[in-house]
Each structure stands twice: as structure tokens, then as C-alpha cells.
Amino acid sequence: MSKKRSPRFRDIWVNQTELGHHFGMSAIVMDKKPREIGLRTEQKEPAEHAINNGYCQFTPMKDGTPFYPE
């Protein structure tokens, strides 16, 4: 009987480099896009719209630092 493994973090979410690769953009450009389209605030925090629609999810890091993977 095999034990079912829960999905790993990177099985669910991608980083800006990987996301940019899908669209032919650099990670630097991908950093700016969410602010341009209203998914992040100017302080680089997720906009309420992004959280409410599941575009990111609060996932605190081991040290408690807030983190919102996209």
C-alpha cells in the first residue's frame, strides 16, 4: 500500500522567473505586472482583489514572515 504524498509548494505555485518564462518576459518585468494591473499595491502587498479571487494565498514562512505566492 503506497502512501499518498501531499503536493509540494512548488507543485502548486510558480516563482516570477517561471511565470515570466510562460509569457516570454523576464522576472523583473513580471515583478511589475501585478502592480500595473491592480493585483498588488505600490507597497508590493497583494491587493484585496487578488486575495479574494485566489490569485495568491497567504502562506507564512517558517520564521513567520508573511508570504503570498502567486
Side-chain angles (χ1 to χ4, degrees), residues 8-9 11 19 26 28 33 35 37 49-50 63-64 68-69:
R8 295 178 306 175
F9 182 85
D11 293 336
L19 186 60
S26 70
I28 294 169
K33 287 294 178 189
R35 281 178 277 155
I37 62 174
H49 173 76
D63 67 359
Y68 290 88

Side-chain angles (χ1 to χ4, degrees), residues 15-18 20-21 25-32:
N15 63 30
Q16 290 174 332
T17 300
E18 294 166 342
H21 180 74
M25 299 178 191
S26 70
I28 294 169
V29 171
M30 289 308 299
D31 181 56
K32 296 175 183 178

Side-chain angles (χ1 to χ4, degrees), residues 5-15 18-19 22 54-59 67-70:
R5 178 177 71 92
S6 60
R8 295 178 306 175
F9 182 85
R10 68 177 296 127
D11 293 336
I12 299 169
W13 303 101
V14 297
N15 63 30
E18 294 166 342
L19 186 60
H22 289 284
Y55 300 135
C56 64
Q57 179 178 338
F58 177 69
T59 307
F67 183 65
Y68 290 88
E70 302 169 330

